[in-house]
Amino acid sequence: MKHHDVIIIGAGAAGLMCAATAGYRGRDVLVLDNAKQAGRKILISGGGRCNFTNQKVEPNNFICSNAHFVKSALARYRSSDFIELVERHGIEYHERDHGQLFCDDSAKEIVTMLLTECEWAGVQIKLRTEISEIGQNEQGQFELITDKEHYTCDSLVMATGGLSMPKLGASPYGYHIAKQFGLKLLPTHAGLVPFTWHSEQKLKFEPLSGIAVPSTITAKDGTQFSEALLFTHRGLSGPAILQISNFWKAGETISINLLPGVDARAAIELVLANHSKQSLRNTLSHWLPKRLVEALFDETLLNKAMNQLIHSELEQLAVDLESWEILMNGTEGYRTAEVTLGGVDTDELSSKTMEAKSVSGLYFIGEVMDVSGWLGGFNFQWAWSSGVAAGQAV
Ligand code: FDA
């Protein structure tokens, strides 16, 4: 058996950050991963440019059954700390809407930076390693049996991520280990994920695939996002939908405002006052793509002049434009989801160190726990912050 102070399972965002932090503290750290490459999700993130953090990170950008849990780690390792690290490695970056920071060149630079930090901190990383069993000996050390070697360690960090994108190696292993050690798990769901059509909606809306419009979308709990809405072959996507999917529950409708920032009733009144003979089709085509107008509204109604529409029709028109209630079939699931909601219950963990309250030396960091961020670099920031919190404690 080879002994290490710290073994981290998962060479992803959180695991690598934790490893470097612990290594710089002089801990003997080994990272194990069953994948053939470290940081695979980082490599494909942000369309290959990795939205590595956000200029403005607040606790309310995260979904967690205990809203206070994220505060300590986020306050002790801020987005400005990660930005400083990125700058020290000479990585060029830029800001997009809503404070999102992306690499100018490639997400590969973030992985290289983390691996370099691990190397400088003396961390060993072993990829393509299957862990078949984890137990604890009489001294309270963890024992790991892998397909290559057997190890013991004083601190074991689970950084195995969530269930999203199984083709990239996502696995429920972290949940199995939590369960094995008696920790409570909260139900998991796909998050930051596109919605799918019911079959009759698909017939009607599939031809709109590729159309993107500004929107404000509201979930049943009142959460609202104003971003682009994208029609796809399978359903609805785009940043507004990905954001709202984190707050949506099966069977609930979402409400879409297709004219964000516009008072639809006032806009209709204006057309009635100045262009009363204009058809409804032409009126709407000034506001929305023509194909969307044709799909959303009845042909006979569209052919009417504005002054032929009765009061109830005008009222319904305003409602349809400002709060189009739509019941989607479901989501595309873990296959395309960016994150997993739920996971290891944070009530079981210390918010300062990420250590399990009931199992000394066992830590959970990153996406494996019940913390998910909004779209916009928040999920990586949680990986960095929780990784550093554990790295300072192991
Ligand atoms: P992560 O998934 O990064 O790492 C887990 C590691 O554990 C992997 O290396 C895996 O191989 C390993 N592992 C799993 N099971 C194992 C086992 N049984 N044995 C050994 N090793 C095992 N976020 C963001 O903030 N900005 C962005 O731009 C994006 N973009 C994005 C795009 C796409 C397509 C996806 C799917 C996700 C994003 N995200 C994102 C989310 C972000 O990638 C995610 O939140 C973090 O990678 C989570 O970091 P972790 O280290 O917790 O898990």
Side-chain angles (χ1 to χ4, degrees):
M1 289 243 185
K2 283 194 176 162
H3 184 79
H4 295 272
D5 296 334
V6 182
I7 294 186
I8 298 169
I9 305 183
L16 294 175
M17 197 68 186
C18 179
T21 308
Y24 280 129
R25 287 177 49 240
R27 310 295 282 155
D28 164 19
V29 182
L30 172 69
V31 181
L32 299 175
D33 200 303
N34 58 3
K36 57 178 191 287
Q37 205 178 9
R40 284 211 292 177
K41 270 195 192 157
I42 304 174
L43 291 171
I44 57 144
S45 67
R49 290 221 158 80
C50 185
N51 176 195
F52 55 80
T53 191
N54 195 289
Q55 286 283 15
K56 197 163 173 259
V57 176
E58 305 278 354
N60 66 7
N61 298 125
F62 297 85
I63 301 141
C64 175
S65 63
N66 171 3
H68 301 292
F69 183 83
V70 297
K71 289 180 180 169
S72 169
L74 290 175
R76 283 180 298 130
Y77 191 83
R78 298 171 182 273
S79 60
S80 54
D81 295 314
F82 193 78
I83 294 166
E84 193 188 295
L85 179 65
V86 164
E87 288 176 353
R88 250 191 286 131
H89 282 257
I91 298 172
E92 305 274 336
Y93 63 92
H94 60 277
E95 184 174 337
R96 296 192 194 162
D97 290 350
H98 311 290
Q100 304 172 82
L101 300 183
F102 288 77
C103 298
D104 281 358
D105 186 13
S106 160
K108 224 189 265 176
E109 292 175 293
I110 298 293
V111 176
T112 305
M113 175 188 84
L114 292 169
L115 292 176
T116 305
E117 287 286 320
C118 282
E119 195 188 324
W120 289 346
V123 170
Q124 281 184 63
I125 300 176
K126 290 198 172 147
L127 301 173
R128 300 175 198 260
T129 303
E130 290 296 339
I131 300 138
S132 53
E133 217 180 300
I134 296 181
Q136 238 180 335
N137 64 22
E138 280 148 19
Q139 295 86 52
Q141 291 174 328
F142 296 92
E143 291 184 351
L144 286 82
I145 299 177
T146 79
D147 58 347
K148 300 200 174 72
E149 285 174 272
H150 295 187
Y151 302 100
T152 54
C153 62
D154 302 318
S155 298
L156 176 67
V157 183
M158 298 304 298
T160 43
L163 299 172
S164 49
M165 297 239 169
K167 69 169 191 255
L168 285 183
S171 86
Y173 193 60
Y175 308 138
H176 290 328
I177 296 302
K179 218 162 138 192
Q180 180 189 323
F181 283 93
L183 272 57
K184 196 174 148 212
L185 295 171
L186 296 178
T188 55
H189 309 277
L192 298 182
V193 62
F195 286 136
T196 53
W197 300 125
H198 284 286
S199 46
E200 67 280 13
Q201 289 169 326
K202 192 170 161 72
L203 283 176
K204 191 168 171 187
F205 294 114
E206 197 178 14
L208 304 186
S209 170
I211 288 181
V213 288
S215 70
T216 295
I217 305 193
T218 312
K220 274 286 165 230
D221 68 357
T223 310
Q224 209 171 63
F225 289 95
S226 291
E227 297 207 51
L229 163 73
L230 173 71
F231 288 81
T232 72
H233 286 291
R234 285 189 287 269
L236 291 175
S237 188
I241 289 291
L242 299 185
Q243 296 281 33
I244 217 72
S245 71
N246 274 355
F247 299 88
W248 174 86
K249 289 182 189 65
E252 286 182 356
T253 55
I254 51 169
S255 172
I256 304 177
N257 182 347
L258 291 165
L259 297 180
V262 176
D263 179 338
R265 282 173 188 81
I268 291 167
E269 284 302 326
L270 206 65
V271 179
L272 281 170
N274 298 312
H275 308 282
S276 63
K277 290 187 181 149
Q278 179 172 277
S279 71
L280 176 62
R281 176 181 279 102
N282 283 348
T283 302
L284 292 176
S285 299
H286 284 108
W287 299 336
L288 295 171
K290 220 169 177 172
R291 279 193 290 151
L292 177 56
V293 170
E294 306 276 353
L296 283 179
F297 298 95
D298 180 70
E299 175 77 17
T300 20
L301 198 68
L302 287 175
N303 289 335
K304 284 190 184 178
M306 291 300 286
N307 60 7
Q308 289 175 316
L309 296 171
I310 60 173
H311 178 74
S312 60
E313 287 171 331
L314 290 168
E315 183 52 32
Q316 189 57 48
L317 178 63
V319 170
D320 290 345
L321 290 169
E322 282 190 339
S323 46
W324 174 28
E325 286 281 323
I326 184 160
L327 179 67
M328 299 300 293
N329 182 42
T331 74
E332 290 186 6
Y334 294 119
R335 190 179 61 81
T336 58
E338 286 198 13
V339 290
T340 302
L341 300 162
V344 178
D345 189 346
T346 54
D347 282 351
E348 301 275 8
L349 308 172
S350 153
S351 62
K352 288 201 171 55
T353 62
M354 309 296 141
E355 186 177 17
K357 290 174 186 167
S358 57
V359 187
S360 174
L362 179 63
Y363 297 76
F364 289 83
I365 56 172
E367 202 183 313
V368 69
M369 69 173 85
D370 170 40
V371 175
S372 310
W374 292 6
L375 188 76
F378 301 103
N379 285 294
F380 279 136
Q381 186 57 43
W382 178 247
W384 317 137
S385 296
S386 60
V388 168
Q392 287 169 344
V394 287

